[in-house]
Structures are given as structure tokens and as C-alpha cells.
Amino acid sequence: MELVVQFQVLNQSCQCLAWKPRPVVAWGAESQHVVAGYSDGTIRVFSISRTEMELKMHPHAVALTAVAYSTDGEMILSGGKDGLVAISSPRTGMTIRVLADHKGSPITVLQCTRKQYHDFGVEGGELWLATSSDRRVSVWASDWLKDKCELLDWLSFPAPAGPEGLGSLPPSLAAFCPWEPGSLVYVGFGMQKEALFYSLRKKQVVEKISLPYFATSLSLSPAARFMAVGFGERLLRLLCCPASDAQDYAGHDDAVHLCRFAPSGRRLLTASHSAVLVWELTG
């Protein structure tokens, strides 16, 4: 539990970051690169092992709000406050594509998953999703080496007029479901406080899980049927899916704005205003 390495960028705030995926050939080796998005529209790639910045790109004119690596680590997907999504190559430093489908609403989530084209009858080696704060989710199939990117599905979730007294609306969050291929989970401000399971094959919501409040963070375990949901009411809920069991945990000093399962699924990291908690899942 000690600080190993630290990178500082003066006069800019880091808004989002992502680890480069481990190469398939070197299974078990730790990833040595992190990409970070900043308030001036730049993204920087840092080498952990060499403790230096390797690359700086400027694909956005506004602050970044989300960043992710493609599943093979060969591309960086970044989303801005203006809703534009850029795809850039860390090898060349060039931005190869800009998508304006979410223009006008900040990107809240970018996530990639390894899928083959024959799963959905479209070309591409992976699926990825983009979520924006206006409760819209787009799902894409892509093959970046062939410069192919095809819209697979477009989701818009309804919501009532913004309630009185609520300073800001809860975030729109989506994630591919690790244990249900071809499905994703969505939480956000809506008609009901719930998590929605959407099937890309059936093109419909197939399950709804009621929540006590609107969610502020979401993570799905890659190793078991567990879903972690954080709330603004300083509460963390762990759900066993299908929703047969739910356990609530207190201990945060503020809204639980981040939850992340470890790749092993054995630990869960959650963060609030001034606290980072690490939970161990037993049994």
C-alpha cells in the first residue's frame, strides 16, 4: 500500500483514464501503459515501467469525459463534453475517425468487448458502446485495421422532466454484461429507479431490477454474476443476478461515484469524495 509512481500534468485536470489491455501472448503480465484524458481536450499515454509520458494527442476541442482502449490495445477511444467520440492510434498519434452521433451531450461511458462479427451478422472484431448524459446508448461493431465501424443498435431511455431540488441528474451508465453475451446493463435517471438488462439480439429490455435510489456508479463482475451499484445516498449495493439476493453496505463519506471489480472478480474498489474502499468478496 505505497505510492509507486506518479505523473503530474500542470494546469490541467485529469478527467478519465484507462489501462491498456494485456496482450494475449503475454498472459499474466501486468499492463504497463495508462491513457488519461484531460480538461484541455488532450489525451496522454504514460508508460508505468519507464515512468514517462510516451505520447500526447489532441483529438478534442473540449474537455474529455471518457476514454477506453480497444480490446487489442491498438486504438484509443475518447469522448468529450460536446458528445464527440474520437478514435486515435497510439502508434501513429493520428485520429482516424470522429463520430458525431452523440453530439451535444457529454459522453459518460465508453467500453469495448471482444466479439466476432458472426455473432450479429456484421463485420468487426469487437463491439463497443458509447453512453451520453441524455440517456442514449449506441452500440458499434468495428474492425479498425480495415477501417470499418458500423452502428449495431441505438437505445434511447425515456425520463420525466427534471425534478425540483435535484442539483444535477444522475449519470447515464451502461456496461456489457460479462455473463450474458449480447446483453448490456443500463442505469440512469428515468421513469423508475431500476437497472435494465437489454438484449442486442432481441432488441428489447429482458429484465428489470428495482433499485432503492438512482445509481451514481455501476460495475459488473467479469468472474461471477455480481453487479455493484453505488448511490448518492452513501450506499453500495451488491446484487447477485438474476436478482435473487441484494446486500447493502454503508461506510462511504459521500456519493459512491465509482465502483470497479478487479479482473479476478474477488475484489471490488469503490470511491467517494475523499475515500477509496477495497472490498473482498468471499464465498
Side-chain angles (χ1 to χ4, degrees):
M1 297 295 290
E2 63 180 282
L3 179 65
V4 178
V5 61
Q6 183 175 1
F7 300 101
Q8 286 186 315
V9 176
L10 297 177
N11 305 319
Q12 295 299 329
S13 58
C14 179
Q15 311 282 67
C16 47
L17 53 83
W19 285 93
K20 183 177 181 179
R22 291 187 292 222
V24 178
V25 290
W27 187 87
E30 287 188 28
S31 174
Q32 296 291 304
H33 290 89
V34 166
V35 61
Y38 288 85
S39 52
D40 63 349
T42 59
I43 55 182
R44 290 168 169 84
V45 177
F46 298 99
S47 168
I48 305 300
S49 55
R50 292 162 57 187
T51 62
E52 67 181 23
M53 185 182 80
E54 289 190 351
L55 181 66
K56 176 184 174 183
M57 297 181 279
H58 203 153
H60 296 271
V62 298
L64 270 85
T65 51
V67 70
Y69 272 99
S70 60
T71 52
D72 59 6
E74 292 298 315
M75 292 293 168
I76 293 171
L77 289 71
S78 55
K81 201 173 180 180
D82 56 4
L84 297 183
V85 175
I87 292 89
S88 308
S89 167
R91 287 186 184 272
T92 64
M94 300 287 289
T95 296
I96 62 167
R97 191 183 284 252
V98 177
L99 300 169
D101 299 72
H102 289 270
K103 189 174 182 179
S105 185
I107 301 297
T108 51
V109 178
L110 290 169
Q111 188 194 5
C112 302
T113 186
R114 199 181 299 276
K115 289 286 175 190
Q116 297 304 315
Y117 63 91
H118 52 72
D119 285 3
F120 295 95
V122 293
E123 296 244 354
E126 71 178 11
L127 293 186
W128 62 275
L129 64 78
T131 309
S132 50
S133 58
D134 57 0
R135 301 172 303 282
R136 294 186 298 168
V137 182
S138 60
V139 183
W140 306 77
S142 61
D143 188 335
W144 302 121
L145 293 178
K146 296 179 180 177
D147 195 30
K148 288 186 176 179
C149 183
E150 183 178 345
L151 182 65
L152 189 70
D153 210 337
W154 184 266
L155 290 67
S156 295
F157 295 96
E164 295 278 334
L166 196 62
S168 59
L169 294 179
S172 301
L173 304 171
F176 288 111
C177 185
W179 59 82
E180 287 289 345
S183 296
L184 59 86
V185 180
Y186 171 84
V187 295
F189 180 64
M191 312 304 278
Q192 305 291 335
K193 301 178 181 72
E194 58 191 1
L196 303 175
F197 283 74
Y198 180 88
S199 169
L200 293 167
R201 290 191 178 86
K202 296 180 180 178
K203 305 277 186 181
Q204 66 184 42
V205 173
V206 292
E207 185 183 358
K208 298 180 179 181
I209 296 178
S210 181
L211 300 174
Y213 312 102
F214 287 117
T216 51
S217 54
L218 170 74
S219 184
L220 280 70
S221 170
R225 291 174 170 261
F226 282 114
M227 179 168 70
V229 187
F231 303 100
E233 289 71 16
R234 308 183 183 190
L235 188 72
L236 172 70
R237 172 165 286 193
L238 188 65
L239 290 146
C240 181
C241 301
S244 57
D245 188 26
Q247 290 184 304
D248 291 335
Y249 300 92
H252 281 279
D253 59 355
D254 208 320
V256 186
H257 63 77
L258 181 83
C259 2
R260 283 286 184 281
F261 277 100
S264 66
R266 294 194 187 101
R267 289 187 176 179
L268 173 69
L269 181 143
T270 59
S272 56
H273 174 67
S274 61
V276 176
L277 304 184
V278 181
W279 309 79
E280 192 155 8
L281 280 74
T282 57

